[in-house]
Amino acid sequence: MDNQPRVCIFSSCLVDLLFPNVGKAMVQVLERLGCKTFLPEKQVCCGQPTYNSGYAKGSLKTFKNEIDALLSIDADYIVGPTGSCVFMIKEYAGILADDPVYGPRAKKLADKIYEFSQFIYRVLGVIDCGAELNATITVHRSCHMTRLLGERTAPFVLLDHVKGIKRVPLHNVQLCCGFGGTFSAKEPELSTAMVQDKVKNIMDTKADILVGMETSCLMNIAGYMNRHGDHIKVMHIAEVLNHDVDPSRIKYIKDTNEPVVPANGEGVF
């Protein structure tokens, strides 16, 4: 295919180490939509856990490694499966603004990077990935993706166009699941109370599947459910959009009468 968008894959730690199936699904979806993908081997961690714990100076080496790794590929875009990590990379531009070498490189990186569903909907202009999943789902909306990255609607639009899906609203969808990276280790009692509330709301939906955009949130929620006997299948959105795909049903926004939904359209905050 001529003029294929060149996409550098930002895999993120959890996907790389614990959920490779999510990374594989993301790549397969993007390639099916006409992208040429590349995976830089030197990427490790975006540095969010240490930076959010107050180790700003100590995180700089990690930031610079990630910048060098992701910019080692001559790509048009950089796409990641987790909004929180994508936003951390966007923050590099401000953190390294006074660095004469890495400041401009961080800005270049920030301008190219997108969360997976955001990229599909807002950059590629795809509204239907051709997937099919005969199930009732409910969706956990992650904090960083919605409040910091500012994307509240792209994943919902894409999921609502999956053939066979019935989406059930999740009560208090805007509330955190209690993971928050190191927060769950530093404040275990509070974290447990938060995920307990989240799981109750999930189970009350009677959905077959919980879908999320962050593997960290899904890991936290699924871990609590497994320990307490609450059984519901958990899927990342990339896995849903890669499920039983009929490429002939792939549809672009420009070929429909549907308007592009603003990023802040799902929920108040």
Side-chain angles (χ1 to χ4, degrees), residues 6 17 31 33 36 54 62 83 108 110 140-141 146 157 166 175 187 205 213 232 245:
R6 292 171 59 87
L17 298 173
E31 291 187 346
L33 297 177
K36 189 172 184 179
T62 303
K108 182 179 181 181
H140 168 64
R141 218 183 65 176
T146 57
V157 173
K166 176 185 177 184
L175 297 186
E187 300 287 348
T205 67
M213 285 63 74
I232 179 174
V245 175

Side-chain angles (χ1 to χ4, degrees), residues 108-135:
K108 182 179 181 181
L109 182 58
D111 291 341
K112 284 185 173 186
I113 194 164
Y114 294 87
E115 181 273 334
F116 171 69
S117 65
Q118 179 186 51
F119 177 73
I120 291 174
Y121 183 63
R122 303 200 182 280
V123 179
L124 296 182
V126 172
I127 199 167
D128 190 335
C129 291
E132 180 174 354
L133 181 61
N134 294 305

Side-chain angles (χ1 to χ4, degrees), residues 186-248:
K186 292 179 178 180
E187 300 287 348
E189 294 85 2
L190 182 55
S191 174
T192 298
M194 293 168 72
V195 73
Q196 185 176 24
D197 285 347
K198 177 64 67 172
V199 168
K200 179 184 183 305
N201 291 332
I202 291 167
M203 300 309 296
D204 284 349
T205 67
K206 307 299 182 184
D208 306 311
I209 301 171
L210 170 68
V211 179
M213 285 63 74
E214 302 267 355
T215 50
S216 57
C217 298
L218 294 176
M219 179 179 67
N220 184 47
I221 295 168
Y224 181 89
M225 290 194 296
N226 288 338
R227 291 191 300 273
H228 293 83
D230 296 314
H231 299 295
I232 179 174
K233 186 173 182 178
V234 174
M235 297 180 73
H236 187 276
I237 188 172
E239 297 173 296
V240 176
L241 299 182
N242 196 44
H243 191 273
D244 285 349
V245 175
D246 178 355
S248 70

Side-chain angles (χ1 to χ4, degrees), residues 28-154:
Q28 290 178 339
V29 170
L30 291 174
E31 291 187 346
R32 189 178 296 117
L33 297 177
C35 298
K36 189 172 184 179
T37 63
F38 304 86
L39 181 66
E41 293 183 0
K42 291 186 178 181
Q43 60 178 310
V44 183
C45 175
C46 69
Q48 183 180 177
T50 53
Y51 184 75
N52 287 350
S53 296
Y55 300 101
K57 186 176 180 180
S59 301
L60 293 179
K61 186 176 181 180
T62 303
F63 295 166
K64 292 176 180 179
N65 176 79
E66 203 71 1
I67 291 170
D68 289 339
L70 295 176
L71 291 182
S72 68
I73 303 295
D74 180 21
D76 303 306
Y77 306 99
I78 299 163
V79 177
T82 163
S84 61
C85 298
V86 166
F87 182 77
M88 181 72 249
I89 288 178
K90 282 184 171 292
E91 284 194 290
Y92 292 175
I95 297 167
L96 295 166
D98 295 331
D99 188 306
V101 175
Y102 281 92
R105 288 172 64 75
K107 177 65 167 60
K108 182 179 181 181
L109 182 58
D111 291 341
K112 284 185 173 186
I113 194 164
Y114 294 87
E115 181 273 334
F116 171 69
S117 65
Q118 179 186 51
F119 177 73
I120 291 174
Y121 183 63
R122 303 200 182 280
V123 179
L124 296 182
V126 172
I127 199 167
D128 190 335
C129 291
E132 180 174 354
L133 181 61
N134 294 305
T136 298
I137 71 166
T138 195
V139 182
H140 168 64
R141 218 183 65 176
S142 65
C143 302
H144 281 78
M145 181 171 168
T146 57
R147 297 173 194 173
L148 299 179
L149 195 60
E151 182 57 72
R152 297 170 176 82
T153 55

